[in-house]
Amino acid sequence: MSVVQMVKIVGLGAVALTLSVEWLGWLFCRLWPRKISRGPLKEVFFFPTEVACTERLFTPNSPFPCPCPLPHNINTSFTRLLGHILSASSSLDLCVFAFTNLDLSRAVLALHTRGIPIRILTDMDYTLITGSQIGAIRRAGICVRCDSGAVHMHHKFAVVDGRRLITGSLNWTLTAIQSNKENILVTEEPDLVLPFITEFQRLWDVNDPARRHLLSIAEKPASLVL
Amino acid sequence: MSVVQMVKIVGLGAVALTLSVEWLGWLFCRLWPRKISRGPLKEVFFFPTEVACTERLFTPNSPFPCPCPLPHNINTSFTRLLGHILSASSSLDLCVFAFTNLDLSRAVLALHTRGIPIRILTDMDYTLITGSQIGAIRRAGICVRCDSGAVHMHHKFAVVDGRRLITGSLNWTLTAIQSNKENILVTEEPDLVLPFITEFQRLWDVNDPARRHLLSIAEKPASLVL
């Protein structure tokens, strides 16, 4: 085979390969649009949501159906939110103003039982409201830090596995989920997730009790420190 | 020129063209990553924000510098939020729980003066709080509907020009902006924006006073209607 013939064959092979890759990509996008063309996960849920049984999310392998009278096996905004929380496999960072919801508390405790590292940042004043789950979560050994400033730590976001952001207007309370008009946005878009990860770490460090203790010592008159 | 030669030339031309397009695209993404590879607008702001003068945003063409003692010409989370609101050129749909901030009220009134259609949906109870701007906005002729349910209309989102979503934990109040720990997410990602547009329209229709009036008549006993 001459050199010229080889060049021609390689050239035509390259055409065929390049065009095939382009067309196969196009075909794949047309056939499975959610898998390829839409990019990172993006979901929006609105509340209030209808009440449904969440038992299957906590015990997916149970052979017994739940006997409760609530509707079963239906997807609601809340079951989807709960599913995202329970999907955590390496970490959960939660920054929430008010936390009284029992199902979400159970989800956090279930993750803790599985050995998944959890950090919770909340508003000091709102740990004292009726039904707050922060005490139970702390007693289970989960690390909680409180923002004790004179104003509100009003965030309502969570970062699952360092890559999935859950944010919106929804506090983790029963009223928010079953009564109020609320929204939740879930995304894995790095440009949106990374600023929340950075802000969580900043607030976590600022509210480190050891750091606060050192600062309070530094602020005391020298005579008192000595 | 023979047919075989023509096929070869066309084939090699196709290789050159396809590879050039691929490589030029790659090169463009490397040189100007923000312009090409990042897709729709995505921004995140955190609060509290430092206090800065916002006069320039309202009067960009004024030849006189603002004489106020606040810092000028600096970008803060609040000036960026205000900039997004003032950028509206065709519509503003706002769904907000509490609205007392004077600068944001001024921005909404400025858009109204420019003739931009504005729809505001808010919580009935929170129109009565001290400093609520809803009264002034209504008196200016802007269309406001109130959710008067027994629970809270707790959303805090806006859609600018039907394509830019502004959402988060931040109510449109001075405390939220200058004191609380809060977040705002701005995006033009259609998968995130469209559900909010649909939900706004649903809530807008549900809270139509004419519809409520008809429903209240329908609920009365027949003898009373007659």
Side-chain angles (χ1 to χ4, degrees):
Chain A
M1 188 186 289
S2 71
V3 175
V4 176
Q5 273 179 322
M6 268 193 68
V7 168
K8 285 174 193 166
I9 289 167
V10 169
L12 287 172
V15 179
L17 186 68
T18 314
L19 294 180
S20 303
V21 168
E22 289 283 317
W23 289 338
L24 277 174
W26 176 83
L27 195 66
F28 202 81
C29 286
R30 296 285 295 186
L31 292 175
W32 298 283
R34 299 291 314 173
K35 290 193 179 165
I36 284 284
S37 63
R38 311 304 285 266
L41 173 80
K42 294 177 281 282
E43 292 179 359
V44 177
F45 315 141
F46 293 100
F47 297 82
T49 181
E50 54 188 318
V51 182
C53 177
T54 57
E55 196 54 39
R56 182 60 63 191
L57 288 162
F58 291 105
T59 54
N61 301 320
S62 168
F64 307 108
C66 174
C68 83
L70 296 175
H72 293 82
N73 301 320
I74 61 166
N75 265 334
T76 68
S77 295
F78 184 58
T79 59
R80 290 162 78 192
L81 167 63
L82 207 53
H84 279 300
I85 301 299
L86 285 166
S87 75
S89 60
S90 63
S91 68
L92 174 69
D93 288 340
L94 171 62
C95 192
V96 70
F97 180 48
F99 188 169
T100 61
N101 185 276
L102 286 172
D103 277 321
L104 287 165
S105 172
R106 186 180 171 192
V108 168
L109 294 170
L111 294 180
H112 181 59
T113 307
R114 280 193 236 152
I116 291 162
I118 299 170
R119 299 187 294 178
I120 298 182
L121 199 56
T122 189
D123 186 88
M124 177 69 90
D125 295 341
Y126 271 67
T127 59
L128 307 174
I129 60 171
T130 306
S132 172
Q133 293 301 302
I134 297 298
I137 283 170
R138 263 196 168 135
R139 282 193 295 279
I142 295 170
C143 197
V144 177
R145 289 187 183 172
C146 291
D147 186 303
S148 58
V151 292
H152 288 322
M153 200 299 296
H154 201 237
H155 290 298
K156 310 108 173 29
F157 73 86
V159 180
V160 175
D161 294 342
R163 69 166 187 274
R164 183 175 301 175
L165 170 69
I166 301 168
T167 186
S169 68
L170 185 107
N171 281 301
W172 284 28
T173 65
L174 194 64
T175 309
I177 289 157
Q178 287 186 9
S179 306
N180 287 355
K181 275 89 172 182
E182 306 269 6
N183 64 75
I184 277 282
L185 180 158
V186 182
T187 181
E188 291 186 353
E189 172 56 62
D191 287 349
L192 296 175
V193 183
L194 292 177
F196 280 89
I197 291 175
T198 308
E199 182 67 0
F200 183 90
Q201 190 60 51
R202 191 187 71 78
L203 292 175
W204 188 254
D205 293 341
V206 164
N207 291 293
D208 180 355
R211 180 176 160 169
R212 275 222 203 101
H213 179 65
L214 287 174
L215 282 174
S216 67
I217 290 173
E219 281 165 5
K220 282 181 187 169
S223 58
L224 284 178
V225 176
L226 291 170
Chain B
M1 189 185 288
S2 72
V3 175
V4 176
Q5 274 179 322
M6 267 192 71
V7 169
K8 285 175 194 168
I9 289 166
V10 169
L12 287 171
V15 180
L17 186 66
T18 314
L19 293 180
S20 304
V21 168
E22 290 283 317
W23 290 338
L24 277 174
W26 175 84
L27 194 67
F28 203 80
C29 285
R30 298 282 296 184
L31 292 175
W32 298 283
R34 298 293 311 173
K35 288 193 180 167
I36 283 284
S37 64
R38 311 304 283 265
L41 174 78
K42 293 177 281 281
E43 292 180 357
V44 177
F45 316 141
F46 293 100
F47 296 81
T49 182
E50 55 189 315
V51 182
C53 178
T54 57
E55 196 54 39
R56 183 59 63 191
L57 288 162
F58 291 104
T59 53
N61 302 320
S62 168
F64 308 109
C66 174
C68 82
L70 295 174
H72 293 82
N73 300 322
I74 61 167
N75 265 334
T76 69
S77 294
F78 184 59
T79 59
R80 291 162 78 193
L81 167 62
L82 208 53
H84 279 299
I85 301 299
L86 285 166
S87 75
S89 60
S90 63
S91 69
L92 174 69
D93 288 340
L94 171 62
C95 192
V96 70
F97 179 48
F99 189 169
T100 61
N101 185 276
L102 286 172
D103 276 321
L104 286 165
S105 172
R106 186 181 170 191
V108 168
L109 294 170
L111 294 181
H112 180 60
T113 306
R114 280 194 236 151
I116 291 162
I118 298 170
R119 300 188 293 177
I120 298 181
L121 200 55
T122 189
D123 186 89
M124 176 70 89
D125 295 341
Y126 272 68
T127 59
L128 307 174
I129 61 172
T130 306
S132 172
Q133 294 300 303
I134 296 298
I137 284 170
R138 262 195 168 135
R139 282 192 295 277
I142 294 170
C143 196
V144 176
R145 290 188 183 171
C146 292
D147 185 304
S148 58
V151 292
H152 288 321
M153 200 299 295
H154 201 235
H155 291 297
K156 308 107 173 32
F157 73 86
V159 179
V160 176
D161 294 341
R163 67 167 187 274
R164 183 175 301 176
L165 170 69
I166 301 169
T167 185
S169 68
L170 185 109
N171 282 301
W172 283 28
T173 66
L174 194 62
T175 309
I177 288 157
Q178 287 186 9
S179 306
N180 288 354
K181 276 89 173 182
E182 307 268 8
N183 64 76
I184 277 284
L185 181 157
V186 183
T187 181
E188 290 186 354
E189 172 57 59
D191 287 348
L192 296 175
V193 183
L194 293 177
F196 280 89
I197 291 174
T198 308
E199 182 67 0
F200 184 90
Q201 190 59 52
R202 192 187 70 80
L203 292 175
W204 187 254
D205 294 341
V206 165
N207 290 293
D208 179 355
R211 180 176 159 166
R212 275 222 202 100
H213 180 63
L214 286 174
L215 281 174
S216 68
I217 291 173
E219 280 164 6
K220 280 180 188 169
S223 58
L224 284 177
V225 176
L226 291 171

